[in-house]
C-alpha cells in the first residue's frame, strides 16, 4: 500500500503494512475511519510449569518451581503461594529478584517488555511450608502448589 497524502497520522500508522485495507478514490475523496473494537487477549500463558516437592517426616516441605512464560508487552505474572509458606529464593531469566508482595500470599513479578512481539521469560522460585507431622500408619500427605490466573498449557 502506498502512503496517501491527507490521511490522518493514526490511520496511516494503523494501516501501514496491512493487507486488509485498500483505500481507493479520487484525489478529493473523503475517507471516514473509526477504530473497531478489539477483543482483549490474555496477558500471557505458562508454556511449562515444573514443581519438585520434598517432604520430611515432621511435615515440613520445600518446593522448587520453574515456569516458562510467554507474554507480550510489559505485564506482571502473579502467583499465590500456599498459606503459611515462606518464599526462599526467586529469579527471573536467571537474575535474582524480589517480587512485589500482595495480600494472601500473592506475589507479582514484573516481566520484561515485548515491544509488540511475544517474549519468553523463565521464572524460578522455591518456598517452604509445614503441614504437620506425617501419619505413620496411613502415610497420607497433602501438598499445595502455587495458584496463578494465567493459563497453563
Amino acid at each position: 500500500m502506498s502512503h496517501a497524502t491527507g490521511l490522518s497520522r493514526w490511520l496511516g500508522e494503523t494501516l501501514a503494512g496491512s493487507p486488509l485495507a485498500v483505500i481507493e478514490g479520487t484525489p478529493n475523496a473523503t475517507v471516514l475511519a473509526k477504530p473497531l473494537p478489539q477483543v482483549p487477549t490474555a496477558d500471557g500463558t505458562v508454556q511449562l510449569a515444573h514443581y519438585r516437592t520434598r517432604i520430611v517426616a515432621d511435615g515440613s516441605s520445600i518446593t522448587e518451581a520453574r515456569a516458562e512464560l510467554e507474554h507480550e508487552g510489559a505485564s506482571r505474572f502473579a502467583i499465590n503461594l500456599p498459606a503459611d509458606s515462606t518464599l526462599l529464593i526467586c529469579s527471573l531469566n536467571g537474575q535474582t529478584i524480589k517480587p512485589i508482595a500482595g495480600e494472601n500470599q500473592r506475589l507479582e513479578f514484573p516481566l520484561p517488555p515485548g515491544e509488540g512481539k511475544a517474549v519468553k521469560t523463565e521464572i524460578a522460585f522455591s518456598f517452604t511450608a509445614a503441614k504437620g507431622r506425617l501419619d505413620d500408619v496411613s502415610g497420607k500427605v497433602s501438598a499445595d502448589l502455587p495458584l496463578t490466573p494465567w493459563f497453563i498449557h
Side-chain angles (χ1 to χ4, degrees), residues 20-108:
L20 303 176
V22 175
I23 299 174
E24 295 182 17
T26 64
N28 296 330
T30 300
V31 177
L32 299 176
K34 69 175 186 171
L36 297 174
Q38 297 180 337
V39 177
T41 58
D43 290 336
T45 57
V46 179
Q47 298 294 308
L48 174 74
H50 178 82
Y51 295 95
R52 180 177 157 191
T53 300
R54 291 174 289 183
I55 302 171
V56 295
D58 69 356
S60 60
S61 66
I62 182 169
T63 299
E64 298 167 333
R66 183 178 58 85
E68 293 175 9
L69 313 174
E70 185 173 304
H71 58 94
E72 290 183 16
S75 56
R76 288 185 179 184
F77 176 65
I79 60 169
N80 286 78
L81 289 179
D84 300 323
S85 61
T86 303
L87 183 67
L88 296 175
I89 59 172
C90 187
S91 68
L92 188 70
N93 290 333
Q95 299 293 316
T96 301
I97 63 164
K98 294 183 190 270
I100 299 166
E103 295 180 12
N104 300 321
Q105 295 288 84
R106 183 179 179 90
L107 303 175
E108 291 186 4

